[in-house]
Amino acid sequence: QVQLQESGPGLVKPSQTLSLTCSVSSASITSRFSFWAWIRQPPGKGLEWMGAIGWHGSTYDNPSLQSRTSISRDTAKNHFTLQVTSVTPEDPAVYFCPSGDVLEVPSQWGQGTRVTVSS
């Protein structure tokens, strides 16, 4: 079964760029019909789909995030990344990098990583 591990700094300052990495094991991010997503859950709120990248390299994002997100990948390292620019106090959350064979409905999840925004 695919394993996903989110990693990155647990604390970022306002206006800085948040960079997170999802390391993938037991599966290739280039496997046909696979999608690799970033989803976050702010405290006390539901899950928010941020974006995804498909096996073919095409990216998808949530327009409600006002173009502050960027998803990329490194196929040699078999990981994909998320960058959120100009972070604000509204960005703290637990960030997940789930995957699946359907863009909108990921089925494999990792543990998530918590991000705090503070000066």
Side-chain angles (χ1 to χ4, degrees):
Q1 186 176 13
V2 60
Q3 300 178 47
L4 305 121
Q5 178 63 60
E6 305 87 347
S7 62
L11 176 67
V12 294
K13 297 180 179 180
S15 80
Q16 292 186 336
T17 296
L18 169 66
S19 296
L20 298 174
T21 297
C22 183
S23 300
V24 181
S25 301
S26 300
S28 173
I29 61 174
T30 62
S31 296
R32 192 176 184 185
F33 303 131
S34 65
F35 296 91
W36 310 87
W38 285 102
I39 295 174
R40 68 181 180 183
Q41 184 171 32
K45 299 181 180 180
L47 298 173
E48 180 183 29
W49 189 85
M50 304 185 71
I53 187 167
W55 77 96
H56 39 63
S58 296
T59 57
Y60 313 84
D61 58 19
N62 186 341
S64 68
L65 297 175
Q66 301 179 335
S67 302
R68 294 196 297 118
T69 61
S70 177
I71 297 175
S72 60
R73 69 179 184 177
D74 186 332
T75 57
K77 297 180 179 179
N78 204 41
H79 68 227
F80 61 104
T81 62
L82 170 72
Q83 290 191 325
V84 182
T85 61
S86 302
V87 299
T88 72
E90 287 70 45
D91 291 320
V94 177
Y95 287 75
F96 301 91
C97 58
S99 68
D101 58 0
V102 178
L103 175 63
E104 300 87 354
V105 188
S107 58
Q108 307 293 325
W109 295 73
Q111 299 298 315
T113 186
R114 178 176 294 176
V115 175
T116 300
V117 179
S118 176
S119 61

